[in-house]
Amino acid sequence: LRAVVEAIRPDAVVSWENGQAVVRAGDLELTAVPGELYIVANGRYLFAASGVRLQNGRTMVPLRPLAKALGAEVGWDAATGTASLTTGSGTIAHAAAFYDEEEIYWLSRIISAESRGEPLVGMIAVGNVVLNRVAHANYPDTIYDVIFDDEWGVQFQPVSNGTVYEEPTAKSVLAAKLVLDGAETVREGLFFLAPHLTNNHWIMENRIYITTIGNHWFYK
């Protein structure tokens, strides 16, 4: 973390405070907690799939989310196995200017209702399904409308049983923010189910299996 930050932002101060690495500059505040699957930059949650690590007293952070926080671009030369960083767009915009509160409100609630108790990567995957549907021509084009879509019947059980209206867990809000900032654990997923909790296996019989995360099986 320190080497990259000091190379790109020599004005920044890097410190270790209360079990986390902290970066401060005039337009940037970044924190990285060893063991977590994300870093926080200007209030935005950036997914770090391989996690933040502490190695020999140094905080190790995946390059792509760190570059995003610093407004840099990552290049990869497969022939030499070399990564490169190019400065460009400037420091990441603040959360207040990026997140849409209504999107967080509904996305966190469907994630919480569908995947409470699942690992963070599983919660992200549920959020991915919702956003993949938003982007797909066969579904509505907003998070709210996807959740409450009933063209072929209710799409999400929490809509029919009312749990979608319950207060989401803090972890679900975190997952929603990660998804809205590009976190992805199921790239093409449009469907999911927990096979042992349902007798309706239409998805399993008619869609293409992608992966299993926690109790959920994901399909496209």
Side-chain angles (χ1 to χ4, degrees):
L1 174 66
R2 181 182 295 275
V4 172
V5 169
E6 290 181 348
I8 294 181
R9 290 296 302 266
D11 62 317
V13 175
V14 183
S15 59
W16 180 260
E17 304 172 16
N18 301 316
Q20 63 183 357
V22 180
V23 177
R24 293 189 179 90
D27 58 352
L28 174 67
E29 182 166 335
L30 181 152
T31 57
V33 180
E36 298 290 7
L37 294 177
Y38 58 88
I39 62 174
V40 184
N42 287 345
R44 293 193 31 202
Y45 289 77
L46 309 181
F47 188 48
S50 55
V52 178
R53 304 177 186 178
L54 194 61
Q55 184 173 319
N56 298 325
R58 296 182 177 183
T59 305
M60 311 297 287
V61 177
L63 190 57
R64 290 191 185 278
L66 182 56
K68 183 175 180 178
L70 297 171
E73 297 291 332
V74 179
W76 176 253
D77 187 330
T80 62
T82 303
S84 61
L85 278 176
T86 305
T87 56
S89 60
T91 304
I92 192 169
H94 282 261
F98 178 80
Y99 294 125
D100 182 293
E101 289 302 318
E102 183 176 1
E103 290 184 339
I104 293 174
Y105 182 95
W106 288 113
L107 188 59
S108 64
R109 276 160 174 74
I110 195 65
I111 290 173
S112 185
E114 287 281 12
S115 57
R116 191 183 298 256
E118 293 292 308
L120 181 61
V121 290
M123 290 183 162
I124 291 170
V126 169
N128 289 157
V129 167
V130 175
L131 288 199
N132 288 345
R133 289 191 176 196
V134 170
H136 197 283
N138 291 346
Y139 297 94
D141 58 4
T142 70
I143 289 171
Y144 177 89
D145 289 336
V146 162
I147 293 171
F148 292 94
D149 180 22
D150 61 0
E151 184 173 352
W152 296 290
V154 175
Q155 298 292 300
F156 298 97
Q157 187 179 30
V159 172
S160 59
N161 65 24
T163 55
V164 72
Y165 300 104
E166 295 178 358
E167 189 71 18
T169 64
K171 190 175 176 182
S172 300
V173 176
L174 166 62
K177 290 180 178 180
L178 286 165
V179 170
L180 291 170
D181 230 315
E184 193 174 66
T185 57
V186 179
R187 177 164 296 180
E188 298 179 292
L190 292 171
F191 304 88
F192 64 89
L193 80 163
H196 63 288
L197 296 178
T198 180
N199 294 320
N200 184 350
H201 293 164
W202 179 90
I203 294 172
M204 300 169 65
E205 296 164 356
N206 293 276
R207 308 302 299 192
I208 299 172
Y209 172 80
I210 301 175
T211 190
T212 296
I213 303 176
N215 291 309
H216 285 135
W217 295 16
F218 292 86
Y219 293 77
K220 61 181 179 179

